[in-house]
Amino acid sequence: MKKFLLSLCMLAVASVCVFMTSCKDDDVPIVNVTSNVSNLEAAEKANPDMTYKYELDGVIYDSVEELQAALNALEPGSTGHTYTVIGTDKNDPTNTQRSETVSFTVPTQGNVTVTFSFPTPQGTVTVTIIVTVTPTSHSGGAIM
């Protein structure tokens, strides 16, 4: 009887192992949000008498890199985001200019172009930021 129960247990374990390796999880979607702010850096270089800060959803970022990271952390499909550039004249810190505030929605797939303009000592500059959502997927994997 012991041999029979042991054989039955071994058969059950083998059956579970075969079942687990033959089953594969469905693909789990992962969404990558990326943004292009390189043209913003070019606009900064064209206006060296200004220092810039970037306000995204009420939070102020001191560098384009911080802004990029904040944009990349936005959830796909999220709405009601606001963006403003704050420029301060290096020669006169009391002279602060704000761009127009623009609102945008992060797409669930594809891209959204956010265009805004802000005043500088050399004139108004128009800048475009592109937020792109690229869906990718990976398998949850299987037990091997």
Side-chain angles (χ1 to χ4, degrees):
M1 186 69 168
K2 288 181 184 178
K3 288 183 180 180
F4 174 73
L5 288 176
L6 183 60
S7 298
L8 190 58
C9 286
M10 288 175 46
L11 185 59
V13 169
S15 297
V16 168
C17 288
V18 169
F19 175 76
M20 295 293 284
T21 57
S22 66
C23 293
K24 179 182 169 195
D25 293 342
D26 291 334
D27 283 343
V28 178
I30 299 173
V31 181
N32 296 317
V33 178
T34 56
S35 55
N36 174 10
V37 293
S38 61
N39 55 352
L40 188 55
E41 291 173 319
E44 280 186 5
K45 288 177 184 172
N47 297 281
D49 293 335
M50 303 284 283
T51 58
Y52 298 95
K53 294 189 179 196
Y54 314 96
E55 186 175 331
L56 177 66
D57 297 336
V59 178
I60 296 177
Y61 300 95
D62 293 325
S63 69
V64 172
E65 293 77 21
E66 289 176 358
L67 171 64
Q68 180 85 44
L71 286 167
N72 292 351
L74 296 176
E75 288 292 321
S78 57
T79 62
H81 297 289
T82 58
Y83 181 76
T84 306
V85 175
I86 304 163
T88 303
D89 189 330
K90 288 180 181 177
N91 301 318
D92 181 7
T94 62
N95 182 11
T96 300
Q97 305 290 329
R98 293 179 69 88
S99 74
E100 59 186 317
T101 298
V102 293
S103 298
F104 65 98
T105 297
V106 178
T108 54
Q109 184 172 350
N111 60 50
V112 62
T113 301
V114 181
T115 302
F116 60 93
S117 58
F118 62 93
T120 70
Q122 289 80 19
T124 300
V125 175
T126 300
V127 177
T128 302
I129 294 176
I130 300 171
V131 179
T132 303
V133 178
T134 307
T136 59
S137 63
H138 79 292
S139 171
I143 299 172
M144 295 188 181

